[in-house]
Amino acid sequence: MTDHSHPSQSDILVLVGTRKGVFIFSSNVDRKSWEMSGPHWAGSDTFHAVYDERGDGRLWVVRNDPVFGSEVHWSDDLGETWQSSQIGPHVVSDPSVELNSLWHVTPGRADEPDVVYLGAEPATLFKSEDAGETWNEVEGITLHPTRDRWMPGFGGMCLHSIVLDPNSKDRMTVGVSAAGVFGTEDGGATWSPLNRGVRADFMPEPFPEVGQCPHKMLAHPAKPDRLYQQNHCGVFRSDNGGSEWLDISSDLPSRFGLPLALHPHDSDTAYVLPEDKVVGDQLGGGIRFVTDAKFRIFRTRNAGQDWEPLTNGLPQENAYLHAMRDGMATDTLDPCGVYVGTSTGQLFFSRDEGDSWDLLTDYLPPINSVETVVIV
């Protein structure tokens, strides 16, 4: 692989956030050979890197540095130069809440070009209306009346999933570990728990109002009321924007897992990576490698009624591998590609919707996040 900072037309980019910086992999649409640039922000624990397709395109990065702290950066030339927020995210509504780390950045809707959202730990949400120059706290999350019942998961009490309704600027949904899913209908002023039907096996009440531990939540881009979540206690689907959830875990070898990915064109197709957790139902720590030490991506083509293991090209013995919650993604090509990164630095990918797999690269630092974009 060689340095590659300026993708030509019709390139696909795979953005990989790691504990030691960001790596960018690029290929033509055949996805048969890849070039690499990076690491950008070498040495920094990069929780998330994502490409903003609005305007001329922008790369967003959130990093957590042991010396310089947590910062938001962006690049308009794929990492050759960088800019940073003039005023970084900070909590004003509750002086007792001090940010520990930045987790996830989500570009705003297509018709709000300067809006960007940011999730952080402990469980806070920020919004920028000036393309990242400054950030304002969404106080309805920080001051939520149920917050005294929220608790940290193994990765802290993080707000890690941000789902925007493309048809309404007032509607969005977020996932917090371990508090649950929350939705707003008024642009963030108020938030309602959206956890009906979601298990919390580690709680005295197995179906509480709040306290669930979603690991990753996504909405299908063509069907925004269809949500999927990989939870600490199973995989769930909602067909009504989170008002009710259906347990779709029955065919999986483990209810536990972290990452989740959706087929870009088919709202019935989703991908998960089941892992074993612990003996018993305690919330944190534990085994956290793939069930039976077999690296199997599971795919459903019927919205969770059935799941099939995808194994062709993936290690099926002595594979003590683990993936983080943002560690899986799909691209928008046809057939779509599927990508999953591990905490030991392997990046696997499929060109045919998961039917067969290859190793895109090895020996990366531990992978925190994987995102893709097709630039046409």
Side-chain angles (χ1 to χ4, degrees):
M1 294 181 182
T2 57
D3 282 354
H4 183 78
S5 298
H6 295 285
S8 60
Q9 285 192 337
S10 298
D11 273 0
I12 176 172
L13 305 181
V14 180
L15 313 173
V16 182
T18 79
R19 290 188 192 170
K20 298 296 182 181
V22 179
F23 297 82
I24 304 174
F25 296 89
S26 60
S27 174
N28 295 325
V29 292
D30 61 11
R31 296 165 293 190
K32 292 183 177 179
S33 63
W34 296 86
E35 296 180 312
M36 185 189 84
S37 73
H40 307 279
W41 298 105
S44 290
D45 198 354
T46 305
F47 277 30
H48 191 219
V50 66
Y51 191 85
D52 186 346
E53 297 183 68
R54 300 172 301 177
D56 294 329
R58 171 170 286 186
L59 174 61
W60 292 95
V61 167
V62 288
R63 70 185 187 100
N64 299 284
D65 191 278
V67 176
F68 299 104
S70 299
E71 294 182 313
V72 184
H73 306 282
W74 64 88
S75 173
D76 295 327
D77 50 22
L78 288 177
E80 285 200 350
T81 60
W82 294 90
Q83 300 182 63
S84 305
S85 300
Q86 295 180 1
I87 301 176
H90 59 284
V91 176
V92 297
S93 66
D94 185 348
S96 68
V97 176
E98 183 176 349
L99 292 185
N100 295 323
S101 54
L102 304 180
W103 273 77
H104 193 91
V105 60
T106 296
R109 301 165 183 86
D111 59 351
E112 44 183 13
D114 292 330
V115 172
V116 190
Y117 292 91
L118 177 67
E121 191 273 324
T124 40
L125 178 66
F126 298 91
K127 179 181 181 181
S128 174
E129 298 181 278
D130 54 12
E133 294 288 351
T134 61
W135 297 88
N136 295 311
E137 176 194 3
V138 180
E139 296 184 1
I141 290 291
T142 316
L143 302 177
H144 198 273
T146 66
R147 193 174 177 103
D148 61 346
R149 287 181 270 161
W150 303 4
M151 58 183 173
F154 194 54
M157 195 170 74
C158 53
L159 193 152
H160 51 71
S161 296
I162 303 170
V163 172
L164 307 179
D165 187 324
N167 302 317
S168 171
K169 294 181 181 179
D170 290 329
R171 292 188 67 200
M172 62 185 299
T173 313
V174 299
V176 178
S177 176
V181 172
F182 298 82
T184 181
E185 303 276 348
D186 55 16
T190 60
W191 296 80
S192 300
L194 300 176
N195 301 303
R196 183 178 300 172
V198 179
R199 293 167 51 164
D201 297 337
F202 45 83
M203 299 279 283
E205 165 56 52
F207 291 94
E209 179 189 29
V210 298
Q212 287 86 347
C213 189
H215 288 167
K216 184 63 181 177
M217 178 183 64
L218 295 169
H220 195 272
K223 199 172 184 179
D225 277 343
R226 169 160 285 183
L227 305 177
Y228 290 87
Q229 65 166 294
Q230 169 67 71
N231 191 283
H232 191 94
C233 301
V235 182
F236 299 86
R237 189 192 85 235
S238 174
D239 296 323
N240 53 15
S243 295
E244 295 177 304
W245 293 88
L246 302 173
D247 191 332
I248 57 173
S249 311
S250 60
D251 277 359
L252 295 170
S254 171
R255 303 185 69 87
F256 182 85
L258 285 169
L260 167 73
L262 304 183
H263 192 289
H265 313 300
D266 180 8
S267 63
D268 288 341
T269 299
Y271 302 85
V272 296
L273 179 66
E275 296 187 6
D276 289 332
K277 49 176 181 176
V278 288
V279 177
D281 281 321
Q282 57 261 54
L283 183 60
I287 298 171
R288 293 180 185 249
F289 56 71
V290 289
T291 302
D292 299 327
K294 298 178 180 180
F295 199 77
R296 296 171 292 175
I297 310 298
F298 278 74
R299 177 179 65 194
T300 180
R301 292 191 182 274
N302 54 16
Q305 296 180 53
D306 304 290
W307 295 88
E308 59 179 320
L310 307 175
T311 62
N312 184 13
L314 296 174
Q316 295 303 298
E317 59 181 16
N318 300 322
Y320 299 98
L321 301 177
H322 168 68
M324 305 299 282
R325 71 181 76 237
D326 274 329
M328 190 187 301
T330 56
D331 65 37
T332 58
L333 296 172
D334 187 13
C336 85
V338 190
Y339 306 78
V340 59
T342 72
S343 61
T344 42
Q346 295 84 30
L347 179 62
F348 297 99
F349 82 110
S350 169
R351 304 178 188 89
D352 52 16
E353 305 192 355
D355 289 339
S356 62
W357 295 81
D358 291 293
L359 183 66
L360 195 155
T361 193
D362 201 352
Y363 309 119
L364 290 181
I367 294 172
N368 293 325
S369 72
V370 180
E371 296 279 8
T372 74
V373 63
V374 176
I375 301 177
V376 179

